[in-house]
Amino acid sequence: MHNGEVSYWWRARGIPPRRPSLPGSTEADVCIVGAGYTGLWTAYYLNRADPALRIVVLEASFAGYGASGRNGGWVTAGLPGSRARYARHPRGKDGVRELEQYLRDTVDEVARVCAAEGIDASLVKGGTLTVATSAAQEARLRHRLEQERAWGDDAGIVRYLDQTDLDDRLRVAGAVGALYSPHCARVQPADLVAGLAETVTRAGVRLYEATPVTSISAGRARTPAGDVRAPFVLRCTEGYTADIPGQHRTLLPMNSSMIITGPLGDEAWGTIGWDRFETLGDDAHAYMYAQRTADGRIALGGRGVPYRFGSGVDHDGAIPTSTIAQLGRILRRMFPAATGAGLDHAWCGVLGVPRDWCATVTLDPQTGLGWAGGYTGQGVAASNLAGRTLADLVLRVPSPLTTLPWVGHRSPRWEPEPARWAGVHGLYALYRTADRLESARPTPRTSALARVGDLISGIPH
Ligand SMILES: Cc1cc2nc3c(=O)[nH]c(=O)nc-3n(C[C@H](O)[C@H](O)[C@H](O)COP(=O)(O)OP(=O)(O)OC[C@H]3O[C@@H](n4cnc5c(N)ncnc54)[C@H](O)[C@@H]3O)c2cc1C
């Protein structure tokens, strides 16, 4: 079985030869640091708005090396953060509702651009299912549905499926019901990011790979090969942000790990169903997420080792065998029919988590420094909206995007080590124990341990 090698998604399409690195100091109108979805969407919309703009993208490794080439492939309209916290913005609840509507529309915007630019990322908008596999999970889903209705979200946004309706779509062993929302699509993540990189470079954006930025200051991104001077420098480094001087405690690099099976046979798919390609998650505290891939496999992810001391990151996505075993158990429990397909590849990556779990898109007009990220694992669609918003902020065009409540949002900094490490590991120990306790008993009560965890972490509900 393959372990690491960045991701199955990259192995399937082949890691491309490196584009040239920065040949020496240069000037640009906009310099973007990081060639994941955030950086590339920003470059895309800037270029579309003004093809004459000189845009330079600097990438430490290769475009899509980070989370954008490793993720679960959910193009989800999920809000990256807490409604209550975003509602503290002067625009209050209306602003949050507008942000949520923009996120729903963004799923279609990603599909629109893929079609317009000829990016084949196997995108299918089949919606998303959150299944309950214990009484406590089911009670939480029903409670969440009540909250959604109180917030004003109707059945067109989210609805409950009982076990019969769920079975009609997808047979998950032990599932007793699910929430369904149509506002999600499945993609092959590396195909999306590679397609974006090809699209922007074809349009004239200068993308330099193997070019790590060592510091960012007003008007300048410094690299070992020279400086890029630009009135706007945009940091789009999400889970890797901690390594940039001055940003060590801005975003916590949270780890997420994935496995993928070999191709399943017709018999197994006949048992499982999943003909509409919904993305799938559960409502455990240490939750899982999955998709049925275009090449007939199940890709399934979960937290694994949640965090590395000192905000460290993985080596090309390699993960411990204990995490592979843990994810394999979840796969076999939920999809016994998939067992025969075996496991083909396992990998991990980091996503950026702000201390208050709320994402931001920010441009300081005084310094020209901007940044976007902190999508807490919901960045595939959100990074498109963030990129469009960053572009509008740079171009100073009148835009409804630039007044959304995540614009200019400031999160507190993370605690220094060892508190950061102890906090995150303690939190996931609580969550895993809570999940075990909830699975073992038939009562609908959420474990008190999980409530303690939520209180410590500030994870929004
Ligand atoms: C395993 C996993 C599963 C996930 N599943 C989902 C999902 O299903 N749906 C969803 O919505 N979200 C998911 N996410 C989160 C989502 O993938 C990210 O939020 C999103 O890809 C972030 O994009 P980005 O461009 O901001 O960051 P990244 O894709 O991480 O890109 C940052 C880039 O910056 C580069 N870089 C870093 N430092 C420097 C530097 N100093 N100089 C130059 N370049 C630098 C990196 O090499 C990298 O290419 C998942 C994340 C992971 C890890």
Side-chain angles (χ1 to χ4, degrees):
M1 194 187 64
H2 297 263
N3 185 345
E5 302 172 41
V6 189
S7 67
Y8 168 74
W9 311 120
W10 274 115
R11 182 167 68 85
R13 64 170 286 122
I15 292 182
R18 291 285 193 280
R19 294 180 171 86
S21 52
L22 183 72
S25 293
T26 188
E27 291 193 354
D29 297 313
V30 184
C31 174
I32 295 169
V33 181
Y37 297 140
T38 305
L40 294 171
W41 282 122
T42 307
Y44 177 78
Y45 288 104
L46 280 169
N47 173 269
R48 295 286 298 189
D50 182 356
L53 272 182
R54 296 170 304 160
I55 303 166
V56 165
V57 181
L58 301 173
E59 165 56 47
S61 184
F62 64 89
Y65 172 79
S68 300
R70 308 185 191 196
N71 62 73
W74 292 36
V75 188
T76 170
L79 180 74
S82 142
R83 282 175 173 160
R85 283 185 202 131
Y86 287 129
R88 291 180 201 149
H89 184 273
R91 297 193 56 212
K93 186 176 168 181
D94 286 348
V96 186
R97 294 186 61 78
E98 202 177 315
L99 175 57
E100 290 184 309
Q101 183 57 48
Y102 269 109
L103 285 164
R104 287 192 287 274
D105 294 344
T106 296
V107 180
D108 297 324
E109 171 64 4
V110 173
R112 185 194 68 75
V113 178
C114 285
E117 304 294 351
I119 300 171
D120 181 2
S122 305
L123 186 146
V124 178
K125 191 179 176 191
T128 188
L129 288 163
T130 310
V131 297
T133 59
S134 68
Q137 287 187 30
E138 189 195 12
R140 281 200 292 279
L141 290 190
R142 289 193 184 277
H143 177 62
R144 183 152 344 126
L145 188 67
E146 281 169 23
Q147 290 178 318
E148 297 295 325
R149 294 288 178 267
W151 177 255
D153 284 355
D154 61 20
I157 295 179
V158 60
R159 65 178 193 269
Y160 194 81
L161 303 183
D162 61 21
Q163 195 174 352
T164 314
D165 289 341
L166 173 62
D167 283 356
D168 192 39
R169 291 172 174 268
L170 167 60
R171 267 84 65 192
V172 176
V176 289
L179 288 184
Y180 172 74
S181 168
H183 301 286
C184 189
R186 172 218 73 180
V187 283
Q188 206 285 29
D191 286 346
L192 177 60
V193 73
L196 268 176
E198 281 154 24
T199 301
V200 300
T201 50
R202 212 170 41 230
V205 170
R206 283 183 285 163
L207 166 55
Y208 296 114
E209 297 189 333
T211 304
V213 168
T214 51
S215 73
I216 296 176
S217 54
R220 187 171 68 182
R222 176 153 278 181
T223 84
D227 295 353
V228 177
R229 290 187 176 276
F232 296 100
V233 182
L234 310 177
R235 170 165 50 79
C236 303
T237 48
E238 248 253 315
Y240 300 88
T241 301
D243 278 348
I244 294 176
Q247 305 300 335
H248 194 60
R249 289 161 56 195
T250 305
L251 291 174
L252 183 135
M254 185 72 83
N255 185 65
S256 199
S257 302
M258 295 198 70
I259 53 171
I260 192 164
T261 64
L264 272 65
D266 290 345
E267 201 184 322
W269 283 124
T271 307
I272 294 167
W274 215 343
D275 301 326
R276 286 177 256 187
F277 297 97
E278 303 90 342
T279 59
L280 168 76
D282 68 3
D283 203 41
H285 304 288
Y287 57 84
M288 55 70 66
Y289 52 91
Q291 66 151 281
R292 175 178 176 171
T293 67
D295 57 357
R297 301 157 186 257
I298 296 176
L300 182 145
R303 188 60 69 218
V305 175
Y307 169 74
R308 294 175 188 82
F309 190 84
S311 290
V313 298
D314 51 85
H315 298 288
D316 291 344
I319 69 174
T321 47
S322 55
T323 302
I324 300 172
Q326 180 202 336
L327 295 177
R329 279 194 295 276
I330 297 173
L331 178 83
R332 286 191 296 278
R333 172 167 53 78
M334 295 179 89
F335 298 109
T339 308
L343 295 185
D344 184 25
H345 198 138
W347 69 95
C348 68
V350 284
L351 47 103
V353 176
R355 184 62 181 91
D356 64 354
W357 296 75
C358 285
T360 188
V361 186
T362 296
L363 181 73
D364 178 348
Q366 310 300 323
T367 60
L369 294 176
W371 56 93
Y375 314 113
T376 62
Q378 311 214 73
V380 179
S383 56
N384 171 285
L385 184 59
R388 274 188 279 159
T389 308
L390 262 184
D392 286 353
L393 287 165
V394 166
L395 298 169
R396 291 183 203 224
V397 289
S399 159
L401 302 187
T402 58
T403 61
L404 292 172
W406 66 350
V407 174
H409 178 82
R410 301 269 176 169
S411 303
R413 281 150 64 79
W414 282 92
E415 290 79 358
E417 297 291 19
R420 200 158 66 229
W421 185 90
V424 179
H425 280 262
L427 175 72
Y428 277 93
L430 284 174
Y431 280 166
R432 290 199 171 110
T433 310
D435 284 332
R436 264 197 305 278
L437 293 173
E438 288 178 6
S439 299
R441 65 185 188 207
T443 66
R445 246 179 323 110
T446 286
S447 159
L449 292 178
R451 293 185 196 281
V452 174
D454 291 347
L455 219 62
I456 297 171
S457 67
I459 290 178
H461 289 289

